[in-house]
Amino acid sequence: MEIAQKSIKFLTIAIIALFSATFFASEIDKETGHQNDDGRVNTGEEVKAYIKHHLKDSHDFSLFSYTSDDGERKHVGFPLPVILWTSEGLVTFMSSEFHHNDDGHVIVEKKGLKFAKIHSKIYELENGATSVSFDEAHHATNAAKVLDFSITKSVVGILFAGFLMLLAFSKLAKQYKTRQVPKGFSRVLEPLVIYVRDEIARPNIGEKKYKKFMGFLLTVFFFIWILNLLGLTPLGFNVTGQIAVTVCLALFTMVIYMFNGSKDFWAHTLWMPGVPYILRPILAVIELAGFILIKPFSLLVRLFANITAGHFVVMSLIALMVTMKDAFGPVASTGMSLVLALFIMIIEILVAFLQAFIFTMLSSLFIGMAVEEHEHH
C-alpha cells in the first residue's frame, strides 16, 4: 500500500512536470514582441523573454497557443475583468479586448478614452492620440498609467487559496464540535496545525500569549504554502513571487508585533537600560530601524527571491528542449529537459513548504521578541 502511494505521488509530479514542459513548448510569449512569425519560442532571447513574462502578473490566463492551418495564431485561455480608475472615473471591460497584446499596439476604446497594455501595465492615452508613441527606451510618451484595480491572475490565486483554506478549516472546526479525532482530509490538516502550535508558536511566543497569535500564524503558513504549490502547476501562478504580495505579508507581521509590543519591549527599544545615556538615542534609532525596516525587509525578500529563483530555474530547465535542440537533437534535449525539470520540481515541493515554515517561524520570533515580559529584580 505504501509503495503504491509513493508511486502515485511520483507519477503526479511527473505529470505536472510534463504538462509544464508541454505548455512551455507550445505557448508563445505573444506579449513581448520577441517571437518568430509563427509564434514559436526558438531562440535564447525568446526563451528569456518568455521566462520574464511568466514571472510577471498578467490580466488573463493563457494556457497555451498554437498556429492554425491558415497561419493564424490561436490562444487558449480565459480573460479576467479589467477595472480601472481613469481621468473620467471608473472604467471596466474584459482583458480579452487587448487580444493578448502587451506591446501597446492594440488600443481599447471605452467611454471616449483609449487604453493600451504595455509590459503588463495599462496606460491611458492622451486626448487626440490614436496610438502609443515610444521613446528610445520603449517608454510611452503620450500615455500615462492609470489606477489598476483589475482581477489579475495573482488575485485569482489569492482568492482561490483563501477559498481552499476557508473550506478546509471550516470543515475541521465543525468536526471538532462532534468528535475528538477528525476524519478525511481534516486528519491531514490536524498534524500541521499542531506542528505550527507546538514547534513554532509556543517556543517563540511563550505559553501565556501564543494563543492570541495562532490565527495569524496558521493563516500565513497555509496561505504561503498553498500559493507556493499553486505556483508549481501549469496554470502559471507566481503569487508569492510578486514583490507586492510579500511586502503586504511582511507589513502584516510588522503591524502585529509593533501594536502588540509590551512596555518592556518599548522601554528596551526607545531607552535601553544599562547603557550610557549618550548612546541611548543612537541605539533607539538602530532598534527602530531593525523592527520597522530590516526585519520586514528580510521577510519579504527571502520569500520573494526564493520563489522567483525557483520558477526561473524550472523554466530554464524546461527550455533546454529548445536551446539544446541543435546540439543534442530533439529527443535527447527533450528527455534531458524533462528529467532535470522533474528533479527540480521535487525539490521545489520541499521549498514550497520550507519557505512557508521560515516565514511563519520568523514572524513568530519577531512577535515573541515584542511581547516578551522581562523579569525585574
Side-chain angles (χ1 to χ4, degrees):
M1 184 67 178
E2 184 178 354
I3 296 177
Q5 291 177 346
K6 291 182 178 179
S7 300
I8 292 173
K9 292 179 181 178
F10 177 81
L11 289 174
T12 301
I13 298 171
I15 290 172
I16 292 175
L18 179 62
F19 278 168
S20 299
T22 303
F23 286 150
F24 178 85
S26 61
E27 189 180 13
I28 172 61
D29 186 21
K30 62 269 176 190
E31 301 185 12
T32 61
H34 300 289
Q35 71 260 9
N36 295 328
D37 293 337
D38 61 357
R40 296 178 182 177
V41 177
N42 287 323
T43 66
E45 291 184 0
E46 292 167 355
V47 168
K48 290 179 181 179
Y50 177 85
I51 295 175
K52 183 178 179 181
H53 170 70
H54 169 79
L55 295 176
K56 293 181 179 180
D57 197 5
S58 65
H59 288 80
D60 59 4
F61 276 90
S62 183
L63 300 179
F64 63 91
S65 304
Y66 65 95
T67 303
S68 65
D69 296 336
D70 299 332
E72 184 181 359
R73 197 64 182 167
K74 301 289 186 180
H75 306 288
V76 178
F78 53 91
L80 295 171
V82 175
I83 306 171
L84 308 174
W85 186 261
T86 69
S87 59
E88 299 295 331
L90 189 66
V91 175
T92 61
F93 54 92
M94 298 301 291
S95 61
S96 56
E97 299 200 30
F98 285 116
H99 301 292
H100 301 278
N101 180 266
D102 196 47
D103 57 13
H105 289 98
V106 173
I107 306 299
V108 176
E109 295 190 30
K110 294 291 178 182
K111 293 186 177 181
L113 303 175
K114 297 182 176 66
F115 304 96
K117 188 152 69 77
I118 308 170
H119 304 312
S120 300
K121 304 294 183 182
I122 298 179
Y123 290 75
E124 178 184 341
L125 275 66
E126 296 177 354
N127 290 333
T130 57
S131 62
V132 182
S133 300
F134 297 96
D135 57 18
E136 295 180 355
H138 202 260
H139 295 148
T141 59
N142 62 341
K145 291 181 183 178
V146 294
L147 287 176
D148 193 349
F149 301 100
S150 304
I151 307 297
T152 62
K153 186 163 60 176
S154 293
V155 175
V156 173
I158 291 172
L159 293 176
F160 183 59
F163 172 75
L164 291 178
M165 292 170 60
L166 181 63
L167 189 67
F169 285 101
S170 296
K171 187 175 181 180
L172 177 62
K174 185 180 297 184
Q175 289 190 20
Y176 273 131
K177 295 180 179 180
T178 57
R179 54 191 301 130
Q180 291 184 342
V181 179
K183 62 179 181 179
F185 184 73
S186 298
R187 190 174 294 180
V188 178
L189 291 177
E190 186 184 39
L192 294 172
V193 173
I194 294 174
Y195 179 81
V196 173
R197 183 192 67 185
D198 294 344
E199 302 298 329
I200 297 179
R202 274 178 168 168
N204 293 317
I205 301 177
E207 191 70 31
K208 295 181 179 179
K209 298 184 178 181
Y210 81 91
K211 291 182 180 179
K212 180 179 180 181
F213 306 100
M214 273 297 295
F216 171 73
L217 295 177
L218 286 173
T219 300
V220 76
F221 174 80
F222 283 98
F223 182 75
I224 294 174
W225 188 29
I226 292 172
L227 288 177
N228 289 348
L229 292 176
L230 286 176
L232 301 178
T233 65
L235 293 174
F237 286 113
N238 185 31
V239 181
T240 46
Q242 305 298 325
I243 191 69
V245 175
T246 60
V247 165
C248 288
L249 291 173
L251 286 177
F252 280 132
T253 299
M254 186 196 73
V255 169
I256 287 174
Y257 67 65
M258 292 295 284
F259 279 88
N260 288 277
S262 63
K263 293 181 180 179
D264 289 334
F265 165 75
W266 287 111
H268 282 73
T269 299
L270 300 177
W271 202 246
M272 191 174 295
V275 176
Y277 289 103
I278 193 172
L279 295 178
R280 292 186 182 185
I282 300 174
L283 292 177
V285 173
I286 295 174
E287 288 292 316
L288 284 175
F291 281 103
I292 296 175
L293 297 176
I294 298 174
K295 287 179 172 60
F297 185 76
S298 67
L299 282 176
L300 69 93
V301 167
R302 181 180 287 103
L303 179 59
F304 165 75
N306 279 281
I307 298 303
T308 300
H311 281 248
F312 186 87
V313 170
V314 170
M315 300 301 291
S316 298
L317 291 176
I318 294 174
L320 290 178
M321 67 174 63
V322 176
T323 58
M324 304 296 289
K325 181 173 60 177
D326 294 336
F328 297 98
V331 176
S333 62
T334 301
M336 179 171 59
S337 174
L338 290 178
V339 170
L340 293 175
L342 175 60
F343 175 72
I344 293 297
M345 287 288 285
I346 296 174
I347 295 178
E348 283 298 304
I349 291 176
L350 298 177
V351 171
F353 175 85
L354 183 62
Q355 291 305 314
F357 166 78
I358 292 175
F359 193 99
T360 309
M361 173 67 76
L362 291 177
S363 295
S364 67
L365 182 62
F366 298 156
I367 292 172
M369 294 169 63
V371 302
E372 181 183 7
E373 298 285 352
H374 298 277
E375 295 184 2
H376 300 280
H377 300 283

